[in-house]
Amino acid sequence: MAKELKFGVIGAGYMGKAYSIALNTVSAVFPLSAKPVLDVLATTSATGAEDKAEAFGFRRATGSWQELAADPDIDVVGICSPTYLHKEMALAAIAAGKHVLCEKPLALSAREAHEMANAAERAGVKTLVGYNYIKNPATQLAKQMIANGEIGEIVHFRGTHNEDFLMDPALPMSWRLKAAYGSQAGALGDLASHIINLAHYLCGPIAEVVGESQTIHRQRPGKDGQLEVVENDDQTNFLVKFESGVLGPIEASRIAAGRKMGLTYEVVGTKGTLSFDQERLAELQFYSADDSPSRCGFRTILIGPEHPDYGHFCIGAGHGFGYNDMITVEMKEMVEGIAAGQPLWPSFRDAVHTALVVDAVLLSQREKRWVAIQELEQELNQ
Amino acid sequence: MAKELKFGVIGAGYMGKAYSIALNTVSAVFPLSAKPVLDVLATTSATGAEDKAEAFGFRRATGSWQELAADPDIDVVGICSPTYLHKEMALAAIAAGKHVLCEKPLALSAREAHEMANAAERAGVKTLVGYNYIKNPATQLAKQMIANGEIGEIVHFRGTHNEDFLMDPALPMSWRLKAAYGSQAGALGDLASHIINLAHYLCGPIAEVVGESQTIHRQRPGKDGQLEVVENDDQTNFLVKFESGVLGPIEASRIAAGRKMGLTYEVVGTKGTLSFDQERLAELQFYSADDSPSRCGFRTILIGPEHPDYGHFCIGAGHGFGYNDMITVEMKEMVEGIAAGQPLWPSFRDAVHTALVVDAVLLSQREKRWVAIQELEQELNQ
Amino acid sequence: MAKELKFGVIGAGYMGKAYSIALNTVSAVFPLSAKPVLDVLATTSATGAEDKAEAFGFRRATGSWQELAADPDIDVVGICSPTYLHKEMALAAIAAGKHVLCEKPLALSAREAHEMANAAERAGVKTLVGYNYIKNPATQLAKQMIANGEIGEIVHFRGTHNEDFLMDPALPMSWRLKAAYGSQAGALGDLASHIINLAHYLCGPIAEVVGESQTIHRQRPGKDGQLEVVENDDQTNFLVKFESGVLGPIEASRIAAGRKMGLTYEVVGTKGTLSFDQERLAELQFYSADDSPSRCGFRTILIGPEHPDYGHFCIGAGHGFGYNDMITVEMKEMVEGIAAGQPLWPSFRDAVHTALVVDAVLLSQREKRWVAIQELEQELNQ
Amino acid sequence: MAKELKFGVIGAGYMGKAYSIALNTVSAVFPLSAKPVLDVLATTSATGAEDKAEAFGFRRATGSWQELAADPDIDVVGICSPTYLHKEMALAAIAAGKHVLCEKPLALSAREAHEMANAAERAGVKTLVGYNYIKNPATQLAKQMIANGEIGEIVHFRGTHNEDFLMDPALPMSWRLKAAYGSQAGALGDLASHIINLAHYLCGPIAEVVGESQTIHRQRPGKDGQLEVVENDDQTNFLVKFESGVLGPIEASRIAAGRKMGLTYEVVGTKGTLSFDQERLAELQFYSADDSPSRCGFRTILIGPEHPDYGHFCIGAGHGFGYNDMITVEMKEMVEGIAAGQPLWPSFRDAVHTALVVDAVLLSQREKRWVAIQELEQELNQ
């Protein structure tokens, strides 16, 4: 493992910490084609950076993300900042020839995402977007089973991403709730993007959508206690029609009382069904019509060493798989994508599709109609 | 219990048997204001009728439903025939002054349902439509809890009615799959009607819909083995917006591999959530935001004697409640509606709403747009 | 269905009502070899009897169970009285040549049960004991699957029957809690007897036991509010070794907070496992080692028309099965046992085994040792 | 974080890897009083050691555990070898003044464990035994809730540790199945020890036991394909009585078809119940009798930042917690135990109790009687 891959990470909050945990552990978990090194951590203020860098295991710290992005020693930049900063940071890193791992959603709009993907492609750098839930062995298994034809031809997809972290109307205003910083798309941009990406992963591209999003708690207290206007949605509901013709509903909410990680999907095929709930992330429910009629039923497959990636973490099935383990898989893929030329999914280009679907839902609501993704895609290319 | 209520039941198939079981047992279960009597059973052929009538406990049998409908001894007519016959039978019974309990869906279209409701109202007879699932104590409890404000103000509704009894494309053609006998609406008319009625029961009337239905298995073998065209949908997906502004998806399928009685709903409120699955019909999942943050979670309420109707069947909570028990509750309500003037829901009039929603989904698909229920309602009244 | 079988039922409480519901409905559910008739209902006072008899659908009422037992018109006597009365009533009915269906536990001790079984055998009448839970289609299916070898050779059994109806120490004293009326065995006699009978049904006879029972709430308020001593156990724990050599724990409790009908069992074999919880009575969990290692998992079989008895109640799988439906199966078996010579299980003789196991657990505790069932059996035959 | 704690780990198999993953990640997860350093990895052969050490992130490697144990630079020794080597290794490390983290079971017998605990106490070093499952936030929460009195006074405990990794009789012989290397106690020593330790953690010390263990697959193929005798049990069943008087069953199996990580427990109290299944390790089921009778039910608490340790891994409740995360908690405790004087549980001394219970079950079987732990404890002290 002679070769090193030096990582610079921007952001030391929730996701910055998760990236650090994963980078510290990935070499012990997986055999890798290169050794990831925690080189530089950038935060918004130089003072905090030193402490965080030491705690997280980075060699160096900086209060300037621009410095990090331009640092000639760095091979890969990880972006864990608020969404409105993604584009500027990614373009700077790409301009300096870095590979980029960027948190989701990739950008404030499909147009921004498209610009980022173009830049990366022109520069020939590798990109990956942090839609971590598809790295779960259970969901990788679902994809394999679909590809194998184990549920026949897909006829229906239902997906949700429901949480309740904003159900209390007394919770304060934050950047996530402002159109210019979070996005015009609230639960739609922040949460539905996960399940749209997952739908894309399992069932292919989406062709058209119709739907509506709603802001239930329209005002929240700002820093001075004054009520401020929430500028994006608390929940969204839409129907999607995939290019394959498959139809189904998608919903997302940040006020769904009781749901803490309610990323769920159900894929129905002509020969069986797969059903999943991220709150029980180590299980995949599988119904096969090949079972005898009097012995059939949904079976709970506990993920184990026979399934993708799991065995590197633990040799016993059903022993548990955690949130940070998914990020560790992401890091493994990033390393192998760069050092061994393995394909990376979703790249910035792949994530443009998710952004287009989000934009299409916004347009569908404004014009109260079905919107084809192609409509918006064509605009991008003009 | 001096007074008797004489029932005539048309149909000795699946639902005719269920009505009979319930009528035999309802007096032993509930204290009633009148004693239901199994008087006449009508089937399509007089010969079979005698045997069935004896087995099911009826005093008399007939091969002529017209005779039953006109019989001066009969107080109540139960209609368990294929949908396309409902209107004619109900109108005949109403014309003879009978109260009517009719299986769902009430009719082939909202127009037919409206005509039947009008006739019943003019005649002053009592009516009830067999949307039996809302008679489940768990669902009655859900309605009570919503009315009490236990989940706050409703913000979201999701409903499904998925089964898989037609997932095998080799299954033969039947009246259910023909527009003129089942309905233009397949899973939409047969199954979604249950969950639409349930949505109405829990969240009030629906204002508008957008959606699409699909026929996946477009041909099935007819009696002579020749393939015949399936004339209605295998699955349907639509968004509903209630008059209250609440939004959510509804889906139904008769080809949803693995789902045997997948009537499910989730009602999210500002203070909590209720979640239900008819395959576990004796449980209601309840999340309350009033619980301490570190002790909160969905709790499984097992229905028991504290909940509506259950205690009449069994004094121990969680001891089990079955399909026919829901029909027994329906019979109790029919008897009390007639003999004690208790309100009956859903009456023919209430069921017109369900039929309108079904028709609106059909129109939404034809015209690929949101359709307001009011549009269709106005047409009815012209 | 020319032949009638006239039933006399003693007791109009919880179980008397359940018997009545089942007798009213059984002919409509099942094709039967004879028609059960609700002839006489006996209660302790003649006044209540009339009302109850009318409500429950009996032709006649009496305040004297002796009169009922001796009534020459009666073919079958159902006994739903407190346990301490079972022997006297059953012996009277047997002496008058009646077939007897008696509630569980059959008697206060194995000695009493043995006496009752002897009397029935000498008189040549049919007997059945109301261990209704084994009539659940899911549990009948489990028995079939074991017999078919679907889980290989059994290596382990675990059973529980936990409820919490007496968890509150302020609940008043009752006959169940007195040795002379309920039994020396409290949860052991009342609840563990169900799971012992079920263990016997699934895995054959038990050879030896070791265990202990405990009374947690030792006093309860009597009628005058004075505290009275509880004379039998609140919970029991014992290991059983079957004649087959299979080993496992059994437990029962009437103070198990949260369990309403916690009759559960798990049978592990060399090729698979079956797992069941009566609170979800329409499901059987099945793990088969024949499944591919990467696709294996417990599957939830929803009971349906392919499984024993279910299809007579409802043609759709997973549509629900209730407490009274199990009693209805019991009535079907009683009728067919008498009118068609079908075997009845558990007869009084079969129930002696359960009583012996209960007595053995009591002895094991007194002498703090393993007790062989044979020890007690030999005493009976002396 | 000036101070470093240098770890030497013996063994590079399953647990050696898990220790390495945890040591790599623990500083990024938790704020710590000292910085753990992966200093030396020892394996049985020097060649493999180098590669493993590099992959796992150790500075140095050795093929001699004796060298590691004596290395003056090392502060803490982690022992991940087969059980029969634990004593020798631990005594060597202790003799050299190292703190020791040892995998479970601590030793082949209580006598060995006692000797190890004595040595550690005499040397004044810190010890911890790798009963990792009690480090799960859900189980830490259970302990807190019990201590808070949230379920009242405990009246019952049931525990299992069932897996199926040896259910196939064709699987080969291994050291685990030999009395001199694994232990005389098979599933009893390897798996039941986890649940005994957990019972001890939640309910205090055990006073007496009665039980039996069984070897179902008595022979397995050795290296040359010849069948060899399995020298310890495949499954064990025993009743435990705690010093508090609480009673309950414990079982463990390595042939329990379908159970992959079937560590489960249920603790019943006078006011509520806690129920847990390690296969759904991020959930604790809680029933509280304080809930209103008509709204009560088991609630699923998803572990989140309000619960012990979880928030250091992830700020969102229900986002997932994995196997290696529990080891990471263990490492945090080891570091804080040494560097900040935090109490460590279970120390070698605490683990003697588990070993005594295992030995008592073996004796109970040999002599077919209840065995008091005190009997064996007195022998140790002679």
Side-chain angles (χ1 to χ4, degrees):
Chain A
M1 211 197 285
K3 198 179 160 193
E4 288 193 342
L5 266 185
K6 291 190 182 132
F7 278 73
V9 171
I10 306 173
Y14 174 24
M15 288 311 303
K17 181 172 180 176
Y19 276 32
S20 304
I21 291 172
L23 284 169
N24 271 295
T25 202
V26 63
S27 319
V29 174
F30 290 101
L32 294 178
S33 305
K35 184 175 178 57
V37 171
L38 292 92
D39 198 3
V40 187
L41 179 71
T43 61
T44 43
S45 71
T47 37
E50 291 293 341
D51 288 353
K52 288 284 188 181
E54 194 189 346
F56 291 177
F58 284 85
R59 292 175 177 170
R60 298 180 286 152
T62 174
S64 157
W65 67 260
Q66 290 87 347
E67 199 178 290
L68 181 151
D71 187 325
D73 274 4
I74 299 280
D75 300 303
V76 193
V77 174
I79 300 176
C80 300
S81 59
T83 313
Y84 71 98
L85 295 170
H86 287 183
K87 188 179 96 172
E88 188 183 0
M89 290 171 172
L91 292 181
I94 290 166
K98 316 301 188 199
H99 307 291
V100 184
L101 167 57
C102 183
E103 261 317 284
K104 46 61 57 185
L106 181 56
L108 293 178
S109 66
R111 186 163 295 282
E112 277 195 12
H114 182 63
E115 200 179 325
M116 292 159 79
N118 285 347
E121 284 167 3
R122 278 194 301 263
V125 299
K126 299 277 184 174
T127 59
L128 183 66
V129 183
Y131 285 112
N132 52 298
Y133 297 113
I134 61 168
K135 307 307 180 190
N136 181 341
T139 291
Q140 291 190 59
L141 172 62
K143 185 164 174 68
Q144 279 185 354
M145 294 175 75
I146 290 169
N148 293 346
E150 296 181 49
I151 60 167
E153 202 177 329
I154 298 177
V155 299
H156 192 257
F157 175 87
R158 177 173 63 252
T160 72
H161 190 136
N162 293 323
E163 304 196 12
D164 69 359
F165 61 97
L166 285 173
M167 75 169 285
D168 181 353
L171 285 171
M173 179 57 57
S174 86
W175 65 265
R176 281 180 194 277
L177 313 183
K178 291 293 185 183
Y181 301 97
S183 155
Q184 279 186 281
L188 173 58
D190 188 26
L191 303 181
S193 63
H194 269 302
I195 186 70
I196 293 166
N197 175 71
L198 198 148
H200 184 186
Y201 175 68
L202 294 180
C203 304
I206 288 166
E208 51 179 343
V209 302
V210 67
E212 183 175 325
S213 308
Q214 296 180 321
T215 308
I216 302 298
H217 302 308
R218 291 161 183 279
Q219 293 184 310
R220 290 183 181 271
K223 284 192 181 158
D224 56 359
Q226 293 286 86
L227 287 177
E228 296 180 17
V229 174
V230 173
E231 295 177 357
N232 53 34
D233 57 284
D234 287 327
Q235 62 180 13
T236 184
N237 285 268
F238 49 99
L239 300 179
V240 297
K241 194 159 185 179
F242 293 84
E243 288 184 5
S244 64
V246 169
L247 189 71
I250 287 184
E251 67 182 57
S253 174
R254 58 194 187 195
I255 59 162
R259 300 301 169 197
K260 307 303 175 187
M261 185 15 80
L263 178 92
T264 72
Y265 58 83
E266 186 157 307
V267 188
V268 182
T270 50
K271 290 174 164 183
T273 292
L274 295 171
S275 189
F276 174 81
D277 180 348
Q278 181 73 20
E279 289 182 357
R280 290 177 168 170
L281 83 170
E283 303 178 5
L284 183 66
Q285 300 286 328
F286 172 41
Y287 179 89
S288 172
D290 289 342
D291 288 339
S292 138
S294 61
R295 297 295 180 269
C296 61
F298 276 89
R299 79 182 66 166
T300 303
I301 301 175
L302 292 175
I303 55 172
E306 297 86 358
H307 305 131
D309 290 328
Y310 181 92
H312 292 282
F313 292 88
C314 177
I315 59 169
H319 279 51
F321 195 83
Y323 180 80
N324 292 313
D325 295 338
M326 293 182 297
I327 316 290
T328 300
V329 173
E330 217 163 58
M331 291 302 165
K332 181 260 292 181
E333 298 199 348
M334 196 68 200
V335 170
E336 296 305 303
I338 296 165
Q342 294 296 318
L344 285 167
W345 201 96
S347 68
F348 282 11
R349 178 61 61 204
D350 303 312
V352 172
H353 183 67
T354 295
L356 282 166
V357 173
V358 167
D359 284 1
V361 174
L362 291 169
L363 179 59
S364 170
Q365 175 160 18
R366 281 197 304 273
E367 304 192 349
K368 216 165 161 46
R369 64 170 177 94
W370 283 91
V371 172
I373 303 310
Q374 226 181 358
E375 277 182 56
L376 301 181
E377 212 162 17
Q378 283 165 346
E379 275 180 40
L380 280 193
N381 294 317
Q382 277 162 5
Chain B
M1 213 199 286
K3 196 181 160 193
E4 287 193 345
L5 266 184
K6 291 191 183 131
F7 278 72
V9 172
I10 306 174
Y14 174 24
M15 289 311 304
K17 180 171 181 178
Y19 276 33
S20 305
I21 291 172
L23 285 167
N24 272 295
T25 200
V26 63
S27 320
V29 174
F30 290 102
L32 295 177
S33 304
K35 186 176 177 55
V37 172
L38 292 92
D39 199 3
V40 185
L41 180 71
T43 61
T44 43
S45 71
T47 37
E50 291 292 343
D51 288 353
K52 289 284 188 180
E54 193 188 347
F56 291 175
F58 283 86
R59 293 175 176 167
R60 299 180 286 152
T62 172
S64 156
W65 67 259
Q66 291 87 347
E67 198 177 291
L68 180 151
D71 188 324
D73 274 3
I74 299 280
D75 300 301
V76 193
V77 174
I79 301 176
C80 300
S81 60
T83 313
Y84 71 98
L85 295 169
H86 288 183
K87 190 180 95 172
E88 188 182 1
M89 289 170 173
L91 292 180
I94 290 165
K98 314 302 186 201
H99 306 292
V100 184
L101 167 56
C102 183
E103 262 318 283
K104 48 60 55 184
L106 182 55
L108 293 179
S109 66
R111 185 162 297 280
E112 277 194 13
H114 182 63
E115 199 179 327
M116 292 157 79
N118 284 347
E121 283 167 5
R122 278 193 301 264
V125 299
K126 299 276 184 176
T127 58
L128 183 65
V129 182
Y131 285 112
N132 52 299
Y133 296 112
I134 62 168
K135 307 307 181 192
N136 181 342
T139 292
Q140 292 190 59
L141 173 61
K143 186 166 173 67
Q144 279 185 356
M145 292 174 76
I146 291 169
N148 292 347
E150 296 181 50
I151 58 166
E153 203 178 327
I154 298 177
V155 299
H156 193 258
F157 175 88
R158 177 176 62 253
T160 73
H161 191 136
N162 292 323
E163 304 196 12
D164 69 359
F165 62 97
L166 284 174
M167 75 169 284
D168 181 354
L171 286 170
M173 182 55 59
S174 86
W175 65 266
R176 281 180 193 276
L177 312 183
K178 292 291 187 186
Y181 300 96
S183 155
Q184 280 185 279
L188 173 59
D190 188 26
L191 303 181
S193 63
H194 269 301
I195 186 70
I196 294 166
N197 176 71
L198 197 148
H200 184 187
Y201 176 67
L202 294 180
C203 304
I206 288 166
E208 50 180 346
V209 302
V210 66
E212 183 175 324
S213 308
Q214 296 180 320
T215 309
I216 303 296
H217 301 308
R218 291 162 182 279
Q219 293 183 311
R220 290 182 181 271
K223 283 191 180 159
D224 55 1
Q226 293 285 85
L227 287 177
E228 295 180 18
V229 174
V230 173
E231 295 177 356
N232 52 34
D233 57 284
D234 286 327
Q235 62 180 13
T236 184
N237 286 268
F238 49 99
L239 299 178
V240 298
K241 194 158 184 180
F242 292 85
E243 289 184 5
S244 64
V246 169
L247 189 72
I250 288 183
E251 67 181 57
S253 175
R254 58 195 186 194
I255 58 163
R259 299 302 168 197
K260 306 304 174 186
M261 185 13 80
L263 178 92
T264 72
Y265 58 82
E266 186 157 309
V267 189
V268 182
T270 50
K271 290 173 164 184
T273 293
L274 295 171
S275 189
F276 173 81
D277 180 349
Q278 181 73 19
E279 288 182 357
R280 289 177 168 169
L281 83 170
E283 302 177 7
L284 184 65
Q285 300 287 328
F286 172 41
Y287 178 91
S288 171
D290 289 342
D291 288 339
S292 140
S294 60
R295 297 296 180 267
C296 61
F298 275 89
R299 77 181 68 166
T300 303
I301 302 174
L302 293 175
I303 55 174
E306 298 85 358
H307 305 133
D309 290 327
Y310 181 93
H312 292 282
F313 291 89
C314 178
I315 59 169
H319 279 50
F321 195 82
Y323 180 81
N324 292 313
D325 294 337
M326 293 182 298
I327 316 289
T328 301
V329 173
E330 216 163 59
M331 291 301 167
K332 180 260 293 181
E333 297 199 351
M334 196 69 200
V335 169
E336 294 306 303
I338 296 165
Q342 294 297 317
L344 285 168
W345 201 94
S347 69
F348 282 11
R349 178 59 63 204
D350 303 312
V352 172
H353 183 67
T354 295
L356 282 165
V357 174
V358 168
D359 285 1
V361 175
L362 292 169
L363 180 58
S364 170
Q365 174 161 18
R366 281 197 304 273
E367 305 191 350
K368 214 165 162 47
R369 65 169 177 93
W370 283 91
V371 171
I373 304 310
Q374 225 181 358
E375 276 182 56
L376 300 182
E377 211 163 17
Q378 282 166 347
E379 273 180 42
L380 280 192
N381 293 317
Q382 276 161 5
Chain C
M1 212 198 285
K3 198 181 158 193
E4 288 193 343
L5 267 184
K6 291 190 181 131
F7 278 73
V9 172
I10 306 174
Y14 175 23
M15 289 311 304
K17 180 171 180 177
Y19 276 32
S20 305
I21 291 172
L23 284 168
N24 271 295
T25 201
V26 62
S27 320
V29 174
F30 290 101
L32 294 176
S33 304
K35 186 177 177 57
V37 172
L38 292 92
D39 199 2
V40 186
L41 179 71
T43 61
T44 43
S45 71
T47 36
E50 291 291 343
D51 288 353
K52 289 284 188 182
E54 193 187 348
F56 292 176
F58 284 84
R59 292 175 177 169
R60 299 179 288 152
T62 172
S64 157
W65 67 260
Q66 291 87 348
E67 199 178 291
L68 180 151
D71 188 324
D73 274 3
I74 299 281
D75 300 301
V76 192
V77 174
I79 301 177
C80 301
S81 60
T83 313
Y84 71 97
L85 295 170
H86 288 183
K87 190 180 95 171
E88 188 182 2
M89 289 170 172
L91 292 180
I94 290 165
K98 315 302 187 201
H99 307 291
V100 185
L101 167 57
C102 183
E103 261 319 283
K104 48 60 54 185
L106 181 56
L108 293 179
S109 66
R111 185 162 297 280
E112 277 195 13
H114 182 63
E115 199 179 328
M116 292 158 79
N118 285 347
E121 283 167 5
R122 279 192 302 264
V125 299
K126 299 276 185 176
T127 59
L128 183 66
V129 183
Y131 286 112
N132 51 299
Y133 296 113
I134 62 169
K135 308 307 182 192
N136 181 340
T139 291
Q140 291 190 60
L141 173 62
K143 186 166 173 65
Q144 279 185 355
M145 292 175 76
I146 291 169
N148 293 347
E150 297 181 50
I151 59 166
E153 202 178 327
I154 298 177
V155 299
H156 193 258
F157 175 88
R158 177 175 61 252
T160 73
H161 191 137
N162 292 323
E163 303 196 13
D164 69 359
F165 62 97
L166 284 173
M167 75 169 284
D168 181 354
L171 285 170
M173 181 55 58
S174 86
W175 65 265
R176 282 179 192 276
L177 312 183
K178 292 290 187 186
Y181 301 96
S183 155
Q184 280 185 279
L188 173 59
D190 188 25
L191 303 181
S193 63
H194 269 301
I195 185 70
I196 294 166
N197 176 71
L198 198 147
H200 184 188
Y201 176 66
L202 294 181
C203 303
I206 288 166
E208 51 180 344
V209 303
V210 67
E212 183 176 325
S213 308
Q214 297 180 320
T215 308
I216 302 296
H217 301 308
R218 290 162 182 280
Q219 293 183 310
R220 291 183 181 271
K223 284 192 181 158
D224 55 0
Q226 294 284 86
L227 287 176
E228 295 180 18
V229 174
V230 172
E231 294 176 356
N232 52 34
D233 57 284
D234 287 327
Q235 62 180 13
T236 185
N237 286 267
F238 49 99
L239 299 179
V240 298
K241 194 159 183 179
F242 293 84
E243 290 183 4
S244 63
V246 169
L247 188 72
I250 288 183
E251 67 181 58
S253 175
R254 58 195 186 195
I255 59 162
R259 300 302 168 197
K260 306 304 174 186
M261 184 15 79
L263 178 91
T264 72
Y265 58 82
E266 185 158 308
V267 188
V268 182
T270 50
K271 290 174 165 184
T273 293
L274 295 171
S275 188
F276 174 80
D277 180 349
Q278 181 74 19
E279 288 181 358
R280 290 177 167 169
L281 83 170
E283 302 177 7
L284 183 65
Q285 300 287 328
F286 172 41
Y287 178 89
S288 172
D290 289 341
D291 287 340
S292 139
S294 60
R295 297 295 181 267
C296 61
F298 275 89
R299 77 182 68 165
T300 303
I301 302 174
L302 293 175
I303 55 174
E306 298 85 358
H307 305 132
D309 290 327
Y310 181 93
H312 292 282
F313 291 89
C314 177
I315 59 168
H319 279 50
F321 195 83
Y323 180 81
N324 292 314
D325 295 336
M326 292 182 299
I327 315 290
T328 301
V329 173
E330 216 163 58
M331 291 302 167
K332 180 261 291 179
E333 297 199 350
M334 196 70 201
V335 170
E336 295 306 303
I338 296 165
Q342 294 297 317
L344 284 168
W345 202 95
S347 68
F348 283 11
R349 178 59 64 203
D350 303 311
V352 172
H353 183 68
T354 295
L356 282 165
V357 173
V358 167
D359 284 2
V361 174
L362 292 168
L363 180 58
S364 170
Q365 175 161 18
R366 280 196 304 274
E367 305 192 348
K368 214 164 162 49
R369 65 169 176 93
W370 283 91
V371 172
I373 303 309
Q374 226 181 358
E375 277 182 56
L376 302 181
E377 212 163 17
Q378 283 166 347
E379 274 180 42
L380 280 192
N381 294 317
Q382 276 162 7
Chain D
M1 211 198 284
K3 197 180 160 193
E4 289 194 342
L5 266 184
K6 291 191 183 129
F7 278 72
V9 172
I10 305 173
Y14 174 23
M15 288 311 303
K17 181 173 179 176
Y19 276 32
S20 305
I21 291 172
L23 284 168
N24 272 295
T25 202
V26 63
S27 318
V29 174
F30 290 102
L32 294 178
S33 304
K35 184 175 178 56
V37 172
L38 292 92
D39 199 3
V40 186
L41 179 71
T43 62
T44 43
S45 70
T47 36
E50 291 292 340
D51 289 353
K52 288 283 188 181
E54 194 189 346
F56 291 177
F58 284 85
R59 292 175 177 168
R60 298 180 286 153
T62 173
S64 157
W65 68 259
Q66 290 88 347
E67 199 178 291
L68 181 152
D71 188 326
D73 274 4
I74 300 280
D75 300 302
V76 193
V77 174
I79 300 176
C80 300
S81 58
T83 314
Y84 71 98
L85 295 170
H86 287 184
K87 189 179 95 172
E88 189 184 359
M89 289 172 173
L91 292 181
I94 290 166
K98 316 302 187 200
H99 306 291
V100 185
L101 167 56
C102 184
E103 261 318 284
K104 48 58 58 184
L106 181 56
L108 293 178
S109 66
R111 186 163 296 281
E112 277 194 11
H114 182 62
E115 200 179 327
M116 292 159 80
N118 285 347
E121 284 167 5
R122 278 193 302 263
V125 299
K126 299 277 183 174
T127 58
L128 183 66
V129 183
Y131 286 112
N132 53 297
Y133 297 112
I134 62 169
K135 307 308 179 189
N136 181 341
T139 292
Q140 291 190 59
L141 173 62
K143 185 164 174 67
Q144 279 185 355
M145 293 175 76
I146 291 169
N148 292 347
E150 296 181 50
I151 59 167
E153 202 178 329
I154 299 177
V155 299
H156 193 258
F157 175 88
R158 177 174 62 252
T160 72
H161 191 136
N162 292 323
E163 304 196 14
D164 69 0
F165 61 97
L166 285 173
M167 75 169 286
D168 181 353
L171 284 171
M173 179 57 57
S174 86
W175 65 265
R176 281 179 194 277
L177 312 183
K178 292 291 186 184
Y181 301 96
S183 154
Q184 280 186 279
L188 173 58
D190 188 27
L191 303 181
S193 63
H194 270 302
I195 186 70
I196 294 166
N197 175 71
L198 198 148
H200 184 187
Y201 176 68
L202 294 180
C203 304
I206 288 166
E208 50 180 344
V209 303
V210 67
E212 184 176 324
S213 308
Q214 296 179 321
T215 308
I216 302 298
H217 302 307
R218 291 161 182 278
Q219 292 183 310
R220 289 183 183 270
K223 284 191 182 159
D224 57 359
Q226 294 285 84
L227 287 176
E228 297 180 16
V229 174
V230 172
E231 295 177 356
N232 54 34
D233 56 284
D234 287 327
Q235 61 180 13
T236 184
N237 286 269
F238 50 98
L239 300 178
V240 297
K241 193 159 184 179
F242 292 83
E243 289 184 4
S244 64
V246 169
L247 189 71
I250 287 184
E251 67 182 56
S253 174
R254 58 194 187 195
I255 58 163
R259 300 301 169 196
K260 307 303 174 185
M261 186 13 81
L263 179 92
T264 72
Y265 58 82
E266 185 156 308
V267 188
V268 182
T270 50
K271 290 174 163 183
T273 293
L274 295 171
S275 189
F276 174 80
D277 179 349
Q278 181 73 20
E279 288 182 357
R280 290 177 168 170
L281 83 170
E283 302 178 6
L284 183 66
Q285 300 287 328
F286 172 42
Y287 178 90
S288 172
D290 289 343
D291 289 338
S292 138
S294 60
R295 298 295 181 269
C296 62
F298 276 89
R299 78 181 68 165
T300 303
I301 301 175
L302 293 176
I303 55 172
E306 297 86 359
H307 305 131
D309 291 327
Y310 181 92
H312 292 283
F313 291 89
C314 177
I315 59 170
H319 279 50
F321 195 83
Y323 180 80
N324 292 313
D325 295 337
M326 292 182 298
I327 316 291
T328 301
V329 173
E330 217 162 58
M331 290 302 165
K332 180 259 292 180
E333 297 199 349
M334 196 69 200
V335 169
E336 295 306 303
I338 296 164
Q342 295 296 318
L344 285 168
W345 202 95
S347 69
F348 282 12
R349 179 60 62 204
D350 303 312
V352 172
H353 183 66
T354 295
L356 282 165
V357 173
V358 167
D359 284 2
V361 174
L362 291 169
L363 180 59
S364 170
Q365 175 160 18
R366 281 197 303 274
E367 305 191 348
K368 217 165 161 44
R369 64 170 176 93
W370 282 91
V371 172
I373 303 310
Q374 226 181 358
E375 277 182 56
L376 300 181
E377 211 162 17
Q378 283 166 347
E379 274 180 40
L380 280 192
N381 294 317
Q382 276 162 5

